[in-house]
Amino acid sequence: MTDASLQPASAPPPACRVERSSVHGNGVFATRDILPGERVIEYAGREISWDEAQARAAAQGGPHNHTFFFSLANGNVIDGGDAGNDARFINHSCEPNCEAIEEEDGTIFIYALHAILQDEELSYSYPLIYEGRHTPAIKRAFACRCGAEQCSGTMLAPKPRQRKPAAPRVKPAEPAMSADRVPGLAAPQNPPPAMPG
Ligand SMILES: [Zn+2]
């Protein structure tokens, strides 16, 4: 039990902190070494309906000005810009060292994919759902500058072809399967009517 004796009795200090990032604006950095699979931080924020999320995005001048939304399996959205925490500043990377997992109770936590060294920047891969046209301006707004060798150059999830229903976020609630669900960070806007083909 030697390890346990080193643990503080109260809550441990946060595993990460916010700082300016060379990737984009602010970023989140490890304050200590983090173990593979470790739960790093909750993606906190107010849970709001999809309609409310759209209204909030519109009030801020459009979805590209508001990328703190995280869609939940129940169709609602976590707004990290409202009662959120440092997790909202975690940047996207095409070669991330973290992943976001929705727990069975609808909370979202950021987990380490592998060992992370102190002062390393945390990142995860957003499948950023944007239902409008992927115009050049939108593509520029969501360009990826993560610097990874395999960088796709964009944070936007590819627009799905018509074979499968496109939007898991509007599906009704279903039994939670936290481990294999990849939550999408959604940039809402009023979607145009679906135009197959
Ligand atoms: Zn990238």
Side-chain angles (χ1 to χ4, degrees), residues 122-192:
L122 308 186
S123 60
Y124 61 101
S125 180
Y126 314 156
L128 190 61
I129 301 163
Y130 186 80
E131 293 182 332
R133 284 185 56 220
H134 291 187
T135 62
I138 287 295
K139 287 178 179 169
R140 269 197 304 280
F142 293 114
C144 183
R145 295 179 291 272
C146 74
E149 213 167 290
Q150 304 295 326
C151 180
S152 69
T154 183
M155 291 188 267
L156 294 168
K159 294 204 82 171
R161 299 290 170 200
Q162 294 300 320
R163 188 154 311 168
K164 283 184 175 179
R169 60 168 184 72
V170 295
K171 276 193 339 200
E174 57 186 339
M177 303 180 297
S178 62
D180 59 358
R181 174 169 293 123
V182 180
L185 188 150
Q189 71 149 31
N190 288 304

Short mmCIF file of all heavy atoms in Angstrom, two decimals, residues 122-192:
data_model
loop_
_atom_site.label_atom_id
_atom_site.label_comp_id
_atom_site.label_asym_id
_atom_site.label_seq_id
_atom_site.Cartn_x
_atom_site.Cartn_y
_atom_site.Cartn_z
N LEU A 122 -3.08 17.93 -24.57
CA LEU A 122 -4.13 16.92 -24.75
C LEU A 122 -4.90 17.22 -26.03
O LEU A 122 -5.09 18.37 -26.41
CB LEU A 122 -5.11 16.93 -23.57
CG LEU A 122 -4.54 16.83 -22.16
CD1 LEU A 122 -5.67 16.72 -21.16
CD2 LEU A 122 -3.60 15.65 -22.04
N SER A 123 -5.38 16.16 -26.66
CA SER A 123 -6.17 16.34 -27.87
C SER A 123 -7.08 15.14 -28.05
O SER A 123 -6.84 14.07 -27.51
CB SER A 123 -5.25 16.46 -29.09
OG SER A 123 -4.47 15.29 -29.24
N TYR A 124 -8.16 15.36 -28.77
CA TYR A 124 -8.98 14.23 -29.18
C TYR A 124 -9.54 14.54 -30.56
O TYR A 124 -9.45 15.68 -31.04
CB TYR A 124 -10.05 13.86 -28.17
CG TYR A 124 -11.07 14.94 -27.86
CD1 TYR A 124 -12.33 14.90 -28.42
CD2 TYR A 124 -10.77 15.97 -26.98
CE1 TYR A 124 -13.28 15.87 -28.13
CE2 TYR A 124 -11.70 16.95 -26.69
CZ TYR A 124 -12.95 16.88 -27.26
OH TYR A 124 -13.87 17.85 -26.98
N SER A 125 -10.07 13.53 -31.17
CA SER A 125 -10.53 13.68 -32.54
C SER A 125 -12.02 13.97 -32.54
O SER A 125 -12.81 13.16 -32.09
CB SER A 125 -10.24 12.39 -33.31
OG SER A 125 -10.69 12.52 -34.63
N TYR A 126 -12.39 15.16 -32.97
CA TYR A 126 -13.82 15.49 -33.05
C TYR A 126 -14.35 15.00 -34.39
O TYR A 126 -13.85 15.44 -35.41
CB TYR A 126 -14.11 16.98 -33.10
CG TYR A 126 -13.45 17.95 -32.18
CD1 TYR A 126 -13.35 19.28 -32.57
CD2 TYR A 126 -12.98 17.60 -30.94
CE1 TYR A 126 -12.79 20.23 -31.75
CE2 TYR A 126 -12.42 18.56 -30.11
CZ TYR A 126 -12.32 19.86 -30.51
OH TYR A 126 -11.76 20.81 -29.70
N PRO A 127 -15.37 14.22 -34.38
CA PRO A 127 -16.10 14.09 -35.64
C PRO A 127 -17.10 15.24 -35.69
O PRO A 127 -18.17 15.15 -35.14
CB PRO A 127 -16.81 12.73 -35.52
CG PRO A 127 -16.84 12.43 -34.06
CD PRO A 127 -15.92 13.38 -33.33
N LEU A 128 -16.72 16.32 -36.30
CA LEU A 128 -17.52 17.54 -36.25
C LEU A 128 -18.62 17.47 -37.30
O LEU A 128 -18.34 17.49 -38.49
CB LEU A 128 -16.60 18.73 -36.50
CG LEU A 128 -17.17 20.11 -36.26
CD1 LEU A 128 -17.58 20.28 -34.81
CD2 LEU A 128 -16.13 21.15 -36.60
N ILE A 129 -19.83 17.39 -36.80
CA ILE A 129 -20.96 17.21 -37.72
C ILE A 129 -21.46 18.57 -38.16
O ILE A 129 -21.87 19.39 -37.34
CB ILE A 129 -22.10 16.44 -37.02
CG1 ILE A 129 -21.59 15.07 -36.56
CG2 ILE A 129 -23.29 16.30 -37.95
CD1 ILE A 129 -22.50 14.43 -35.52
N TYR A 130 -21.41 18.81 -39.44
CA TYR A 130 -21.95 20.06 -39.97
C TYR A 130 -22.88 19.72 -41.11
O TYR A 130 -22.45 19.21 -42.15
CB TYR A 130 -20.82 20.98 -40.44
CG TYR A 130 -21.31 22.33 -40.86
CD1 TYR A 130 -21.60 23.30 -39.91
CD2 TYR A 130 -21.53 22.62 -42.20
CE1 TYR A 130 -22.07 24.53 -40.29
CE2 TYR A 130 -22.01 23.87 -42.58
CZ TYR A 130 -22.28 24.81 -41.63
OH TYR A 130 -22.76 26.03 -42.01
N GLU A 131 -24.16 19.99 -40.89
CA GLU A 131 -25.14 19.48 -41.84
C GLU A 131 -25.34 20.38 -43.05
O GLU A 131 -25.89 19.96 -44.04
CB GLU A 131 -26.48 19.26 -41.13
CG GLU A 131 -26.40 18.15 -40.10
CD GLU A 131 -27.73 17.90 -39.42
OE1 GLU A 131 -28.53 18.85 -39.33
OE2 GLU A 131 -27.95 16.77 -38.99
N GLY A 132 -24.88 21.60 -42.94
CA GLY A 132 -25.02 22.50 -44.09
C GLY A 132 -24.02 22.17 -45.18
O GLY A 132 -23.24 21.22 -45.06
N ARG A 133 -24.03 22.96 -46.22
CA ARG A 133 -23.08 22.73 -47.31
C ARG A 133 -21.66 23.00 -46.82
O ARG A 133 -21.41 23.96 -46.10
CB ARG A 133 -23.41 23.66 -48.50
CG ARG A 133 -24.60 23.20 -49.30
CD ARG A 133 -24.77 24.11 -50.51
NE ARG A 133 -23.55 24.15 -51.33
CZ ARG A 133 -23.07 25.25 -51.90
NH1 ARG A 133 -23.68 26.41 -51.73
NH2 ARG A 133 -21.98 25.21 -52.65
N HIS A 134 -20.75 22.16 -47.22
CA HIS A 134 -19.35 22.37 -46.86
C HIS A 134 -18.72 23.33 -47.87
O HIS A 134 -17.97 22.95 -48.75
CB HIS A 134 -18.60 21.03 -46.82
CG HIS A 134 -19.01 20.15 -45.68
ND1 HIS A 134 -18.38 18.98 -45.37
CD2 HIS A 134 -20.00 20.28 -44.76
CE1 HIS A 134 -18.97 18.42 -44.30
NE2 HIS A 134 -19.95 19.20 -43.93
N THR A 135 -19.07 24.59 -47.70
CA THR A 135 -18.58 25.63 -48.60
C THR A 135 -17.10 25.90 -48.31
O THR A 135 -16.60 25.53 -47.24
CB THR A 135 -19.37 26.93 -48.37
OG1 THR A 135 -19.13 27.34 -47.02
CG2 THR A 135 -20.86 26.73 -48.57
N PRO A 136 -16.42 26.58 -49.20
CA PRO A 136 -15.01 26.93 -48.93
C PRO A 136 -14.85 27.70 -47.62
O PRO A 136 -13.90 27.46 -46.87
CB PRO A 136 -14.62 27.78 -50.14
CG PRO A 136 -15.48 27.26 -51.25
CD PRO A 136 -16.81 26.90 -50.60
N ALA A 137 -15.79 28.61 -47.31
CA ALA A 137 -15.67 29.38 -46.07
C ALA A 137 -15.80 28.47 -44.85
O ALA A 137 -15.07 28.62 -43.86
CB ALA A 137 -16.74 30.47 -46.02
N ILE A 138 -16.73 27.54 -44.92
CA ILE A 138 -16.90 26.60 -43.80
C ILE A 138 -15.67 25.71 -43.69
O ILE A 138 -15.17 25.44 -42.59
CB ILE A 138 -18.18 25.76 -44.03
CG1 ILE A 138 -19.42 26.62 -43.78
CG2 ILE A 138 -18.19 24.53 -43.13
CD1 ILE A 138 -19.58 27.09 -42.35
N LYS A 139 -15.16 25.28 -44.82
CA LYS A 139 -13.96 24.43 -44.77
C LYS A 139 -12.78 25.17 -44.16
O LYS A 139 -12.00 24.60 -43.40
CB LYS A 139 -13.61 23.92 -46.18
CG LYS A 139 -14.57 22.84 -46.66
CD LYS A 139 -14.22 22.40 -48.08
CE LYS A 139 -15.17 21.30 -48.53
NZ LYS A 139 -15.04 21.02 -49.97
N ARG A 140 -12.67 26.46 -44.50
CA ARG A 140 -11.59 27.26 -43.90
C ARG A 140 -11.79 27.39 -42.40
O ARG A 140 -10.85 27.27 -41.63
CB ARG A 140 -11.54 28.65 -44.53
CG ARG A 140 -10.62 28.75 -45.75
CD ARG A 140 -10.30 30.21 -46.08
NE ARG A 140 -11.49 31.03 -46.28
CZ ARG A 140 -12.19 31.07 -47.41
NH1 ARG A 140 -11.81 30.34 -48.44
NH2 ARG A 140 -13.24 31.84 -47.52
N ALA A 141 -13.05 27.64 -42.00
CA ALA A 141 -13.34 27.85 -40.58
C ALA A 141 -13.02 26.61 -39.76
O ALA A 141 -12.66 26.71 -38.59
CB ALA A 141 -14.81 28.24 -40.40
N PHE A 142 -13.13 25.45 -40.37
CA PHE A 142 -12.91 24.20 -39.63
C PHE A 142 -11.66 23.48 -40.14
O PHE A 142 -11.55 22.26 -40.02
CB PHE A 142 -14.13 23.30 -39.73
CG PHE A 142 -15.33 23.86 -39.00
CD1 PHE A 142 -16.46 24.26 -39.69
CD2 PHE A 142 -15.29 24.01 -37.62
CE1 PHE A 142 -17.55 24.78 -39.03
CE2 PHE A 142 -16.38 24.54 -36.95
CZ PHE A 142 -17.52 24.93 -37.65
N ALA A 143 -10.73 24.22 -40.71
CA ALA A 143 -9.47 23.60 -41.14
C ALA A 143 -8.72 23.08 -39.93
O ALA A 143 -8.75 23.67 -38.85
CB ALA A 143 -8.62 24.62 -41.89
N CYS A 144 -8.03 21.97 -40.11
CA CYS A 144 -7.25 21.39 -39.03
C CYS A 144 -5.78 21.77 -39.21
O CYS A 144 -5.22 21.64 -40.29
CB CYS A 144 -7.38 19.87 -39.00
SG CYS A 144 -6.48 19.16 -37.61
N ARG A 145 -5.19 22.25 -38.10
CA ARG A 145 -3.77 22.59 -38.13
C ARG A 145 -3.03 21.81 -37.05
O ARG A 145 -2.12 22.31 -36.42
CB ARG A 145 -3.60 24.10 -37.88
CG ARG A 145 -4.19 24.96 -38.98
CD ARG A 145 -4.04 26.44 -38.69
NE ARG A 145 -4.89 26.86 -37.58
CZ ARG A 145 -6.14 27.27 -37.72
NH1 ARG A 145 -6.68 27.31 -38.92
NH2 ARG A 145 -6.85 27.64 -36.68
N CYS A 146 -3.44 20.56 -36.86
CA CYS A 146 -2.88 19.80 -35.72
C CYS A 146 -1.41 19.44 -35.94
O CYS A 146 -0.70 19.15 -34.99
CB CYS A 146 -3.71 18.55 -35.45
SG CYS A 146 -3.48 17.21 -36.64
N GLY A 147 -0.97 19.42 -37.20
CA GLY A 147 0.43 19.13 -37.44
C GLY A 147 0.78 17.65 -37.48
O GLY A 147 1.93 17.30 -37.66
N ALA A 148 -0.21 16.81 -37.28
CA ALA A 148 0.07 15.37 -37.33
C ALA A 148 0.45 14.95 -38.75
O ALA A 148 0.00 15.55 -39.73
CB ALA A 148 -1.16 14.58 -36.87
N GLU A 149 1.29 13.92 -38.81
CA GLU A 149 1.71 13.44 -40.13
C GLU A 149 0.50 13.03 -40.97
O GLU A 149 0.46 13.24 -42.17
CB GLU A 149 2.64 12.24 -39.93
CG GLU A 149 3.73 12.12 -40.98
CD GLU A 149 4.77 11.11 -40.53
OE1 GLU A 149 5.52 11.41 -39.57
OE2 GLU A 149 4.81 10.03 -41.12
N GLN A 150 -0.48 12.44 -40.31
CA GLN A 150 -1.67 11.94 -41.02
C GLN A 150 -2.80 12.97 -40.98
O GLN A 150 -3.97 12.59 -41.11
CB GLN A 150 -2.17 10.64 -40.38
CG GLN A 150 -1.11 9.55 -40.31
CD GLN A 150 -0.68 9.08 -41.68
OE1 GLN A 150 -1.49 9.04 -42.61
NE2 GLN A 150 0.60 8.76 -41.83
N CYS A 151 -2.49 14.24 -40.80
CA CYS A 151 -3.55 15.25 -40.67
C CYS A 151 -4.45 15.25 -41.90
O CYS A 151 -3.97 15.32 -43.03
CB CYS A 151 -2.93 16.63 -40.48
SG CYS A 151 -4.17 17.93 -40.32
N SER A 152 -5.76 15.20 -41.65
CA SER A 152 -6.71 15.18 -42.77
C SER A 152 -6.95 16.59 -43.30
O SER A 152 -7.58 16.76 -44.34
CB SER A 152 -8.03 14.58 -42.30
OG SER A 152 -8.66 15.47 -41.39
N GLY A 153 -6.50 17.60 -42.56
CA GLY A 153 -6.67 18.97 -43.00
C GLY A 153 -8.01 19.58 -42.63
O GLY A 153 -8.25 20.75 -42.88
N THR A 154 -8.88 18.77 -42.02
CA THR A 154 -10.19 19.30 -41.66
C THR A 154 -10.68 18.67 -40.37
O THR A 154 -10.32 17.53 -40.05
CB THR A 154 -11.22 19.05 -42.78
OG1 THR A 154 -12.47 19.65 -42.39
CG2 THR A 154 -11.43 17.57 -43.04
N MET A 155 -11.50 19.44 -39.64
CA MET A 155 -12.15 18.89 -38.45
C MET A 155 -13.55 18.38 -38.77
O MET A 155 -14.24 17.86 -37.91
CB MET A 155 -12.24 19.96 -37.37
CG MET A 155 -10.89 20.32 -36.79
SD MET A 155 -11.08 21.40 -35.36
CE MET A 155 -10.96 22.99 -36.15
N LEU A 156 -13.98 18.59 -40.00
CA LEU A 156 -15.35 18.20 -40.37
C LEU A 156 -15.41 16.71 -40.66
O LEU A 156 -14.59 16.17 -41.40
CB LEU A 156 -15.79 18.95 -41.62
CG LEU A 156 -15.96 20.46 -41.46
CD1 LEU A 156 -16.13 21.11 -42.82
CD2 LEU A 156 -17.14 20.78 -40.56
N ALA A 157 -16.41 16.06 -40.08
CA ALA A 157 -16.66 14.68 -40.45
C ALA A 157 -17.11 14.66 -41.90
O ALA A 157 -17.83 15.55 -42.34
CB ALA A 157 -17.74 14.09 -39.55
N PRO A 158 -16.68 13.66 -42.66
CA PRO A 158 -17.13 13.59 -44.05
C PRO A 158 -18.65 13.52 -44.10
O PRO A 158 -19.27 12.91 -43.23
CB PRO A 158 -16.52 12.28 -44.57
CG PRO A 158 -15.53 11.85 -43.54
CD PRO A 158 -15.86 12.53 -42.25
N LYS A 159 -19.21 14.18 -45.09
CA LYS A 159 -20.67 14.10 -45.22
C LYS A 159 -21.02 12.68 -45.64
O LYS A 159 -20.50 12.17 -46.62
CB LYS A 159 -21.17 15.09 -46.28
CG LYS A 159 -20.95 16.52 -45.86
CD LYS A 159 -21.91 17.46 -46.53
CE LYS A 159 -23.23 17.47 -45.81
NZ LYS A 159 -24.12 18.52 -46.30
N PRO A 160 -21.90 12.04 -44.87
CA PRO A 160 -22.22 10.66 -45.21
C PRO A 160 -23.01 10.57 -46.50
O PRO A 160 -23.76 11.48 -46.85
CB PRO A 160 -23.07 10.20 -44.03
CG PRO A 160 -23.50 11.42 -43.33
CD PRO A 160 -22.61 12.56 -43.72
N ARG A 161 -22.78 9.50 -47.21
CA ARG A 161 -23.60 9.23 -48.39
C ARG A 161 -24.96 8.74 -47.91
O ARG A 161 -25.21 8.59 -46.73
CB ARG A 161 -22.90 8.20 -49.28
CG ARG A 161 -21.56 8.68 -49.80
CD ARG A 161 -21.74 9.78 -50.81
NE ARG A 161 -20.48 10.43 -51.17
CZ ARG A 161 -20.40 11.63 -51.71
NH1 ARG A 161 -21.49 12.35 -51.90
NH2 ARG A 161 -19.24 12.14 -52.04
N GLN A 162 -25.82 8.48 -48.84
CA GLN A 162 -27.22 8.29 -48.46
C GLN A 162 -27.57 6.91 -47.93
O GLN A 162 -28.65 6.71 -47.44
CB GLN A 162 -28.11 8.59 -49.67
CG GLN A 162 -28.06 10.04 -50.10
CD GLN A 162 -28.50 10.98 -49.00
OE1 GLN A 162 -29.44 10.71 -48.28
NE2 GLN A 162 -27.78 12.09 -48.86
N ARG A 163 -26.63 5.96 -48.01
CA ARG A 163 -27.04 4.59 -47.70
C ARG A 163 -27.53 4.44 -46.27
O ARG A 163 -28.51 3.79 -46.00
CB ARG A 163 -25.88 3.63 -47.95
CG ARG A 163 -26.32 2.18 -47.82
CD ARG A 163 -25.46 1.27 -48.63
NE ARG A 163 -25.29 1.74 -50.00
CZ ARG A 163 -24.40 1.25 -50.83
NH1 ARG A 163 -23.60 0.28 -50.43
NH2 ARG A 163 -24.29 1.70 -52.06
N LYS A 164 -26.84 5.08 -45.33
CA LYS A 164 -27.24 4.96 -43.93
C LYS A 164 -27.86 6.27 -43.47
O LYS A 164 -27.47 7.33 -43.93
CB LYS A 164 -26.02 4.67 -43.05
CG LYS A 164 -25.53 3.24 -43.12
CD LYS A 164 -24.38 3.07 -42.14
CE LYS A 164 -23.93 1.63 -42.08
NZ LYS A 164 -22.80 1.46 -41.17
N PRO A 165 -28.76 6.19 -42.51
CA PRO A 165 -29.23 7.44 -41.90
C PRO A 165 -28.03 8.19 -41.34
O PRO A 165 -27.15 7.60 -40.73
CB PRO A 165 -30.14 6.97 -40.78
CG PRO A 165 -30.42 5.54 -41.04
CD PRO A 165 -29.32 5.00 -41.92
N ALA A 166 -28.00 9.49 -41.55
CA ALA A 166 -26.78 10.22 -41.30
C ALA A 166 -26.54 10.61 -39.86
O ALA A 166 -25.42 10.74 -39.45
CB ALA A 166 -26.78 11.48 -42.16
N ALA A 167 -27.58 10.82 -39.10
CA ALA A 167 -27.40 11.60 -37.89
C ALA A 167 -27.79 10.84 -36.63
O ALA A 167 -28.92 10.89 -36.20
CB ALA A 167 -28.21 12.89 -38.00
N PRO A 168 -26.83 10.15 -36.02
CA PRO A 168 -27.15 9.45 -34.77
C PRO A 168 -27.66 10.38 -33.69
O PRO A 168 -28.39 9.97 -32.82
CB PRO A 168 -25.81 8.81 -34.36
CG PRO A 168 -24.77 9.48 -35.19
CD PRO A 168 -25.45 9.98 -36.42
N ARG A 169 -27.29 11.65 -33.77
CA ARG A 169 -27.69 12.56 -32.70
C ARG A 169 -29.19 12.80 -32.65
O ARG A 169 -29.70 13.28 -31.65
CB ARG A 169 -26.98 13.89 -32.86
CG ARG A 169 -27.29 14.54 -34.16
CD ARG A 169 -26.84 15.97 -34.24
NE ARG A 169 -27.25 16.55 -35.48
CZ ARG A 169 -28.51 16.86 -35.76
NH1 ARG A 169 -29.46 16.67 -34.87
NH2 ARG A 169 -28.82 17.36 -36.94
N VAL A 170 -29.92 12.55 -33.72
CA VAL A 170 -31.35 12.78 -33.66
C VAL A 170 -32.12 11.48 -33.42
O VAL A 170 -33.33 11.47 -33.38
CB VAL A 170 -31.90 13.45 -34.94
CG1 VAL A 170 -31.33 14.85 -35.08
CG2 VAL A 170 -31.61 12.64 -36.17
N LYS A 171 -31.39 10.39 -33.25
CA LYS A 171 -32.07 9.15 -32.93
C LYS A 171 -32.64 9.22 -31.52
O LYS A 171 -32.07 9.86 -30.66
CB LYS A 171 -31.10 7.97 -33.03
CG LYS A 171 -30.97 7.47 -34.44
CD LYS A 171 -30.30 6.13 -34.61
CE LYS A 171 -29.42 5.62 -33.53
NZ LYS A 171 -28.50 4.59 -33.99
N PRO A 172 -33.74 8.55 -31.26
CA PRO A 172 -34.26 8.52 -29.90
C PRO A 172 -33.27 7.82 -28.97
O PRO A 172 -32.40 7.10 -29.42
CB PRO A 172 -35.55 7.72 -30.03
CG PRO A 172 -35.43 6.97 -31.30
CD PRO A 172 -34.55 7.78 -32.20
N ALA A 173 -33.45 8.08 -27.69
CA ALA A 173 -32.54 7.48 -26.71
C ALA A 173 -32.54 5.97 -26.86
O ALA A 173 -33.54 5.35 -27.18
CB ALA A 173 -32.98 7.87 -25.31
N GLU A 174 -31.39 5.40 -26.66
CA GLU A 174 -31.26 3.96 -26.76
C GLU A 174 -30.39 3.50 -25.61
O GLU A 174 -29.73 4.32 -24.97
CB GLU A 174 -30.64 3.59 -28.10
CG GLU A 174 -29.28 4.25 -28.30
CD GLU A 174 -28.73 4.00 -29.70
OE1 GLU A 174 -29.17 3.04 -30.35
OE2 GLU A 174 -27.84 4.75 -30.10
N PRO A 175 -30.35 2.20 -25.36
CA PRO A 175 -29.50 1.75 -24.25
C PRO A 175 -28.07 2.20 -24.45
O PRO A 175 -27.53 2.13 -25.55
CB PRO A 175 -29.60 0.22 -24.36
CG PRO A 175 -30.88 -0.04 -25.08
CD PRO A 175 -31.08 1.12 -26.01
N ALA A 176 -27.49 2.72 -23.40
CA ALA A 176 -26.15 3.28 -23.53
C ALA A 176 -25.12 2.19 -23.78
O ALA A 176 -25.19 1.11 -23.23
CB ALA A 176 -25.79 4.05 -22.26
N MET A 177 -24.19 2.48 -24.65
CA MET A 177 -23.07 1.58 -24.92
C MET A 177 -21.84 2.47 -24.90
O MET A 177 -21.33 2.84 -25.93
CB MET A 177 -23.21 0.91 -26.28
CG MET A 177 -24.51 0.15 -26.44
SD MET A 177 -24.58 -0.59 -28.08
CE MET A 177 -24.55 0.88 -29.11
N SER A 178 -21.41 2.85 -23.73
CA SER A 178 -20.46 3.96 -23.65
C SER A 178 -19.14 3.65 -24.34
O SER A 178 -18.57 4.51 -24.98
CB SER A 178 -20.22 4.33 -22.20
OG SER A 178 -19.64 3.23 -21.53
N ALA A 179 -18.68 2.43 -24.24
CA ALA A 179 -17.32 2.18 -24.69
C ALA A 179 -17.15 2.32 -26.19
O ALA A 179 -16.12 2.75 -26.67
CB ALA A 179 -16.87 0.80 -24.24
N ASP A 180 -18.16 1.95 -26.94
CA ASP A 180 -17.95 1.95 -28.38
C ASP A 180 -18.65 3.11 -29.08
O ASP A 180 -18.68 3.17 -30.28
CB ASP A 180 -18.37 0.62 -29.01
CG ASP A 180 -19.83 0.32 -28.74
OD1 ASP A 180 -20.47 1.12 -28.04
OD2 ASP A 180 -20.31 -0.71 -29.23
N ARG A 181 -19.23 3.99 -28.30
CA ARG A 181 -19.87 5.13 -28.95
C ARG A 181 -18.84 6.24 -29.12
O ARG A 181 -18.07 6.54 -28.24
CB ARG A 181 -21.03 5.64 -28.11
CG ARG A 181 -21.62 6.93 -28.69
CD ARG A 181 -22.92 7.27 -28.04
NE ARG A 181 -23.94 6.29 -28.36
CZ ARG A 181 -24.62 5.60 -27.47
NH1 ARG A 181 -24.40 5.77 -26.20
NH2 ARG A 181 -25.52 4.75 -27.85
N VAL A 182 -18.84 6.84 -30.26
CA VAL A 182 -17.98 7.99 -30.49
C VAL A 182 -18.88 9.22 -30.53
O VAL A 182 -19.58 9.45 -31.50
CB VAL A 182 -17.22 7.86 -31.82
CG1 VAL A 182 -16.33 9.07 -32.02
CG2 VAL A 182 -16.39 6.59 -31.83
N PRO A 183 -18.88 9.97 -29.47
CA PRO A 183 -19.76 11.14 -29.46
C PRO A 183 -19.29 12.18 -30.46
O PRO A 183 -18.09 12.37 -30.63
CB PRO A 183 -19.67 11.65 -28.04
CG PRO A 183 -18.40 11.12 -27.51
CD PRO A 183 -18.08 9.85 -28.25
N GLY A 184 -20.21 12.84 -31.09
CA GLY A 184 -19.85 13.86 -32.07
C GLY A 184 -19.95 15.23 -31.47
O GLY A 184 -20.84 15.51 -30.71
N LEU A 185 -19.01 16.06 -31.81
CA LEU A 185 -19.12 17.44 -31.42
C LEU A 185 -19.81 18.14 -32.57
O LEU A 185 -19.30 18.17 -33.67
CB LEU A 185 -17.74 18.02 -31.16
CG LEU A 185 -17.73 19.42 -30.55
CD1 LEU A 185 -16.50 19.60 -29.70
CD2 LEU A 185 -17.78 20.47 -31.61
N ALA A 186 -20.97 18.64 -32.30
CA ALA A 186 -21.82 19.07 -33.38
C ALA A 186 -21.87 20.58 -33.49
O ALA A 186 -21.95 21.28 -32.51
CB ALA A 186 -23.23 18.54 -33.17
N ALA A 187 -21.80 21.06 -34.68
CA ALA A 187 -21.98 22.48 -34.94
C ALA A 187 -23.34 22.65 -35.59
O ALA A 187 -23.49 22.42 -36.79
CB ALA A 187 -20.88 23.00 -35.85
N PRO A 188 -24.33 22.97 -34.82
CA PRO A 188 -25.67 22.94 -35.38
C PRO A 188 -25.96 24.13 -36.28
O PRO A 188 -25.43 25.21 -36.11
CB PRO A 188 -26.57 23.01 -34.15
CG PRO A 188 -25.70 23.30 -33.00
CD PRO A 188 -24.28 23.35 -33.43
N GLN A 189 -26.80 23.89 -37.19
CA GLN A 189 -27.44 24.96 -37.95
C GLN A 189 -28.74 24.36 -38.45
O GLN A 189 -28.96 23.18 -38.34
CB GLN A 189 -26.57 25.43 -39.11
CG GLN A 189 -26.49 24.40 -40.23
CD GLN A 189 -26.33 25.08 -41.58
OE1 GLN A 189 -25.77 26.13 -41.69
NE2 GLN A 189 -26.85 24.45 -42.60
N ASN A 190 -29.56 25.21 -39.00
CA ASN A 190 -30.79 24.67 -39.54
C ASN A 190 -30.45 23.84 -40.75
O ASN A 190 -29.96 24.36 -41.74
CB ASN A 190 -31.75 25.78 -39.93
CG ASN A 190 -32.33 26.44 -38.71
OD1 ASN A 190 -32.91 25.76 -37.87
ND2 ASN A 190 -32.13 27.74 -38.59
N PRO A 191 -30.67 22.54 -40.69
CA PRO A 191 -30.29 21.74 -41.83
C PRO A 191 -31.23 21.95 -43.00
O PRO A 191 -32.42 22.14 -42.79
CB PRO A 191 -30.41 20.29 -41.30
CG PRO A 191 -31.36 20.38 -40.15
CD PRO A 191 -31.27 21.78 -39.61
N PRO A 192 -30.70 21.97 -44.20
CA PRO A 192 -31.57 22.04 -45.36
C PRO A 192 -32.31 20.73 -45.49
O PRO A 192 -31.88 19.72 -44.94
CB PRO A 192 -30.60 22.23 -46.52
CG PRO A 192 -29.32 21.64 -46.03
CD PRO A 192 -29.30 21.83 -44.54
#
